[in-house]
Amino acid sequence: MKKEKFLNGIDVERLFEIMNILKKHPELAKFRFRAQNTWMNSWHSRSIVKGFYGAGKEDVSRNFPFIFDNDQPLILTGDNKGPNPLEYILNALAGCMTNSIILQAVIKGIHVEEIESEIEGSFDLRNFLGMRNDNKVPFEGIRIKIRIKGSKISADEKIILSELGKESSPVYKIITDAFPVAVSIEKCPYDD
Amino acid sequence: MKKEKFLNGIDVERLFEIMNILKKHPELAKFRFRAQNTWMNSWHSRSIVKGFYGAGKEDVSRNFPFIFDNDQPLILTGDNKGPNPLEYILNALAGCMTNSIILQAVIKGIHVEEIESEIEGSFDLRNFLGMRNDNKVPFEGIRIKIRIKGSKISADEKIILSELGKESSPVYKIITDAFPVAVSIEKCPYDD
């Protein structure tokens, strides 16, 4: 009986319990995620991700930080010490849509066997190199191809899952809508 | 003399050479970055990043792939095997804006000593959990605080660098504008 508690590796009872709590206490749905980024040299920077605020309190469940490096490939004068920020965006979108599809499958009681996605972003580097004023350089776009495998999932259900997955993916929404970003320059102690 | 070729760790001559080439041959500015994502279990997925197309050809300079994991923290029924996709977005934005600020400093001949940024994204999880139809749940936003250190950079120059950095950051543009994403469901061999 205990086994049935889980679907697609997710504790269904606990998930539904969380959703019911959030309906009654929407303030607990507010999450604030964070990263701290330090420029190392050239195009190389390093981010540390650990704590976050959620469910009404500061979360301390992570015992260690996640650390990851951004860099550029050799052809862009980088040292290839990590993927570049655009490649991190592609990972975030693919990972988020996979999460959303799994969530929708759990809600519908559908057992998923595999999900794989190939994602490609086309970008014109003139946008980055301050050459945008020369002419209207198009920014291109992202394409994601998703394969969902499940012996009991019909082709139609796969389309429905991916549509619902799009609608409920925060990263899909952040990228396809105009999402607000506020930038501020902090003073250094010795400024002025 | 050789030392002066570099500013902020970047090979300035080579960078300006690239920019001149792109002015004459804009087709070389087209880059296609890629990731392949595989669902592991529950909220855990893994991305592989290696090859990309750029400067008119398939790039083969990376000898090894970058591999990274997405997961959710314990409180969101995850196993904490990696940052979640929203945290990857924060890293991408901070890393990209740092790149853009460094680039603008190089173009202006400004020596930068340090850049650090703290980035925080506020998200309402009801958007993710398919509870958006209950009411109009706001999606919140991202705040990034940047500290630029350089003994010869005035406070005004820091503001200018960050403004130019915003304008030339692809990830800033992807997030704050409506960026196109095309999703397709690929058929599995045994479908229909």
Side-chain angles (χ1 to χ4, degrees), chain B:
Chain B
M1 290 299 281
K2 196 149 187 280
K3 207 181 163 194
E4 284 170 19
K5 237 186 105 182
F6 285 80
L7 179 59
N8 302 326
I10 286 165
D11 186 333
V12 182
E13 276 178 27
R14 200 170 148 225
L15 182 68
F16 286 168
E17 195 183 346
I18 289 173
M19 288 167 74
N20 278 328
I21 292 170
L22 295 185
K23 271 182 197 158
K24 287 178 203 150
H25 304 283
E27 71 280 7
L28 298 179
K30 305 271 182 202
F31 274 66
R32 291 200 294 272
F33 294 108
R34 307 181 194 115
Q36 195 175 14
N37 183 272
T38 303
W39 176 56
M40 306 304 283
N41 194 31
S42 179
W43 309 116
H44 178 209
S45 73
R46 181 169 289 161
S47 284
I48 297 177
V49 164
K50 192 178 180 215
F52 61 90
Y53 175 91
K57 64 177 197 296
E58 191 65 25
D59 190 279
V60 292
S61 65
R62 284 172 172 164
N63 294 322
F64 53 89
F66 297 115
I67 296 173
F68 30 107
D69 291 281
N70 300 282
D71 200 356
Q72 294 292 344
L74 304 180
I75 197 167
L76 295 173
T77 73
D79 285 323
N80 208 26
K81 285 177 177 144
N84 74 16
L86 293 169
E87 291 169 317
Y88 276 111
I89 286 282
L90 298 180
N91 163 62
L93 181 57
C96 191
M97 289 199 61
T98 296
N99 272 1
S100 298
I101 289 168
I102 287 293
L103 171 69
Q104 295 301 327
V106 167
I107 290 172
K108 290 183 177 302
I110 294 172
H111 172 61
V112 175
E113 287 160 32
E114 291 175 17
I115 302 180
E116 288 212 326
S117 52
E118 280 171 35
I119 184 162
E120 184 173 85
S122 298
F123 307 101
D124 193 306
L125 283 210
R126 287 174 294 167
N127 289 290
F128 176 53
L129 293 166
M131 298 163 73
R132 277 171 68 196
N133 294 337
D134 294 6
N135 44 21
K136 286 267 177 195
V137 176
F139 226 78
E140 314 277 350
I142 295 173
R143 280 184 311 164
I144 176 165
K145 294 181 189 175
I146 304 172
R147 269 185 302 275
I148 303 173
K149 189 175 159 185
S151 55
K152 291 180 185 164
I153 316 176
S154 71
D156 282 351
E157 277 177 321
K158 290 179 187 180
I159 302 290
I160 292 167
L161 283 179
S162 76
E163 280 302 316
L164 289 169
K166 260 162 67 171
E167 279 172 33
S168 65
S169 161
V171 173
Y172 181 85
K173 190 169 166 65
I174 286 168
I175 293 174
T176 58
D177 283 4
F179 195 74
V181 176
V183 181
S184 63
I185 290 289
E186 300 292 290
K187 283 204 168 192
C188 289
Y190 55 83
D191 267 1
D192 298 334

Side-chain angles (χ1 to χ4, degrees), chain A residues 172-186:
Chain A
Y172 180 85
K173 190 170 166 65
I174 287 167
I175 292 174
T176 57
D177 284 4
F179 195 74
V181 176
V183 181
S184 64
I185 291 289
E186 300 291 291

